[in-house]
Amino acid sequence: LENSLPCDFDLVNLRSWKPTSKSSTSADALLILRRLASDCGWISLTVPDCASASTGAVPSLKFVDLPAFFQPTTLTANHQIDGNAPIFQLSPMEIASYNVTFT
């Protein structure tokens, strides 16, 4: 990744994956993200870290020298999620998965 994730986001898994319904030769991966519930009582969190975690900062996920397209999908990756939901905008304690197609 080009940039690190905000302190309350956790990259659970990033693995290669080939959708059965897709016949193209592009490389695909399944990305699973989790947003933690920040606890500002942690000794390790500074005031700016705690403030940035509570504002719901949306991470910018870009791979170094590798353009990618992200499509929200179910956790099992069997079905794509349609809709206009903002990508990578997770509520605290939410988990989401994305089909990543490298172009």
Side-chain angles (χ1 to χ4, degrees), residues 4-65:
S4 60
L5 293 171
C7 65
D8 59 339
F9 277 81
D10 187 21
L11 177 62
V12 176
N13 198 348
L14 176 63
R15 63 178 175 90
S16 61
W17 177 69
K18 191 66 175 173
T20 55
S21 63
K22 196 171 180 181
S23 60
S24 72
T25 58
S26 64
D28 289 290
L30 180 65
L31 171 76
I32 301 176
L33 282 179
R34 173 179 60 182
R35 182 162 181 211
L36 306 172
S38 61
D39 179 2
C40 294
W42 290 346
I43 293 262
S44 62
L45 278 181
T46 63
V47 173
D49 287 339
C50 190
S52 68
S54 64
T55 61
V58 178
S60 172
L61 291 179
K62 293 180 184 171
F63 294 93
V64 178
D65 298 327

